[in-house]
Amino acid sequence: MSGVLVEAKRIWDQAPHNAFTDLALFQGRWFCVFREGEAHVSPDGALRVITSADGDTWESAALITSTDSDLRDPKITVTPTGRLMLSGAGALHDKSEKSHQSMVWFSADGRAWSEGYEIGDSNIWLWRITWHGEKAYGVGYGCGQERFVRLYVSDDGIRYETLVERMYEGGYPNEASLVFVGDTLYCLLRRDGERNTGLLGISKPPYTEWQWKDLGVRIGGPHMIRLSDGRLVAAVRLYDGRVRTSLCWIDPQAGACTEFLELPSGGDTSYAGLVFHDGMLWVSYYSSHEEKTAIYLAKVKTHI
C-alpha cells in the first residue's frame, strides 16, 4: 500500500510562528485552523481560521484571541446540528488557580464565532474532539503532576461527562485521536515519558474497557481517520533520526504503524488535519523547513 504526493504548498505564513493545524470541509468550503504567535510557546497565541473555495486561494475568516491565555492547538469539526465547532486550550498567564482550560467556540459560517465556552476539567487538556452520531468524544490529558488520559463524552459539545476517569496511565500519555469503525473505537495515543512509543487503544461499547497495543514507534501530533475503503491512515511527527511529518498506515490487528509517505517537512513540524474527499487525502500541517514556520496543504492519492 502506497501513496503519491500530488501537491504540497504553503498556504499561510503571516505570523512569526504559524502552527498546530486542523482541516474541515463545510458547506462546500475548506476551513483550516491553526495557532498564530511570536513563537512555538508565547503568551500571544491566537487561533486563526482561514477558508478557501478550491483549496488553492485562501483568505482569513476569523481570528480568536484571549486576554488571559495563550490559545493553543485548535481543532475544527462539523457538529450534527450543522455548525462548525472550534476547540482548543488556553494556557493561562496567571497560573495561581489553574494552568490550562479547554475551550470551544461555534459558528454557522466559519466567520462569526460564538463566545468561548469552558469545557471539561481545568488542567486536563481536551486535545481533540470527535463526533460520532449525536455524541462528541474526546481524550483529555493531565497538565499537572499526574500523567494520565481521561475519556469524555458530550451530547452538545459543551457539557462533558467523564466516561473513563483513567483511560491510560504511565509514560506520560497525552495527545490522542479517536476513530470509530462500526461500534469499535480506536485511539491513537502519544507518549513522552521514559517509554515514549505510541499506542493504539481498542474498545467496544460502552468504551469503559480498553486494550492497548504498543506501536513501537515514537509519534507526535497524532491524527487518524478512516478512508472510504476501511483503511486507517494517520499523520504523525516521526523522530527516528530525522524529524518529519509523515503519513502512516495503522494496522489494528498487528498493532503496527507503517510510514508510507513523508511530506515536505522538517524541524518544528506536525499537527495535521486530515480530510478524505473525492478520492484524495487532503492534509494540512505546519513545518519550518522553508525559512519560517508556516502552514502547508498537501494532496495525496492513496493506492492499495
Side-chain angles (χ1 to χ4, degrees):
M1 298 187 294
S2 62
V4 175
L5 180 64
V6 176
E7 180 185 48
K9 68 175 188 176
R10 188 188 302 201
I11 61 171
W12 197 267
D13 62 2
Q14 293 192 12
H17 192 274
N18 312 265
F20 317 112
T21 83
D22 200 17
L23 186 67
L25 186 60
F26 176 69
Q27 295 180 349
R29 293 190 65 88
W30 292 98
F31 288 88
C32 182
V33 298
F34 49 91
R35 175 188 178 272
E36 290 186 334
E38 285 293 323
H40 188 106
V41 176
S42 55
D44 64 331
L47 307 185
R48 173 74 66 182
V49 183
I50 62 175
T51 185
S52 172
D54 55 11
D56 292 320
T57 304
W58 293 81
E59 64 182 20
S60 176
L63 182 67
I64 295 174
T65 61
S66 171
T67 57
D68 63 3
S69 56
D70 166 19
L71 295 180
R72 303 190 64 82
D73 291 21
K75 306 289 185 284
I76 192 165
T77 57
V78 181
T79 72
T81 58
R83 293 187 297 169
L84 282 174
M85 185 177 84
L86 183 65
S87 61
L92 279 85
H93 302 153
D94 179 0
K95 295 178 171 52
S96 58
E97 293 186 6
K98 57 183 177 181
S99 62
H100 293 80
Q101 178 61 57
S102 299
M103 305 280 295
V104 292
W105 300 260
F106 295 90
S107 176
D109 60 4
R111 299 179 184 276
W113 289 86
S114 72
E115 63 176 318
Y117 297 91
E118 295 187 356
I119 61 170
D121 303 300
S122 60
N123 295 333
I124 296 183
W125 194 327
L126 242 169
W127 192 73
R128 181 182 288 279
I129 296 167
T130 299
W131 289 92
H132 178 65
E134 299 295 314
K135 294 182 180 295
Y137 294 82
V139 176
Y141 69 90
C143 298
Q145 296 296 317
E146 292 189 277
R147 304 300 197 187
F148 64 92
V149 284
R150 178 174 295 171
L151 181 61
Y152 290 93
V153 64
S154 172
D155 291 324
D156 59 5
I158 300 174
R159 291 173 287 274
Y160 287 80
E161 299 175 4
T162 297
L163 195 55
V164 183
E165 182 81 19
R166 300 286 173 117
M167 186 182 177
Y168 186 87
E169 297 180 84
Y172 185 19
N174 49 86
E175 300 161 355
S177 182
L178 297 172
V179 172
F180 285 87
V181 179
D183 65 357
T184 301
L185 179 53
Y186 294 100
C187 175
L188 182 60
L189 179 63
R190 172 180 179 173
R191 288 189 299 176
D192 285 317
E194 188 174 337
R195 299 184 65 182
N196 61 10
T197 48
L199 297 174
L200 183 69
I202 306 168
S203 184
K204 295 281 191 178
Y207 311 120
T208 53
E209 302 292 331
W210 285 81
Q211 172 195 2
W212 295 96
K213 296 183 179 183
D214 192 332
L215 296 172
V217 178
R218 187 183 179 194
I219 60 173
H223 189 24
M224 178 172 67
I225 65 171
R226 181 177 183 264
L227 301 183
S228 57
D229 60 16
R231 290 177 295 167
L232 296 179
V233 64
V236 297
R237 174 183 170 120
L238 294 174
Y239 299 81
D240 51 344
R242 292 181 303 104
V243 172
R244 61 199 182 278
T245 295
S246 283
L247 297 175
C248 302
W249 298 118
I250 302 296
D251 184 334
Q253 282 68 46
C257 174
T258 305
E259 181 183 17
F260 71 89
L261 184 65
E262 176 183 340
L263 298 176
S265 59
D268 187 5
T269 183
S270 184
Y271 292 74
L274 295 170
V275 175
F276 190 70
H277 175 63
D278 282 349
M280 193 83 70
L281 183 63
W282 295 62
V283 188
S284 67
Y285 65 103
Y286 83 94
S287 179
S288 59
H289 67 290
E290 295 179 322
E291 300 104 41
K292 65 182 296 188
T293 308
I295 307 301
Y296 292 82
L297 181 71
K299 300 175 188 177
V300 176
K301 195 74 176 175
T302 56
H303 301 284
I304 296 178

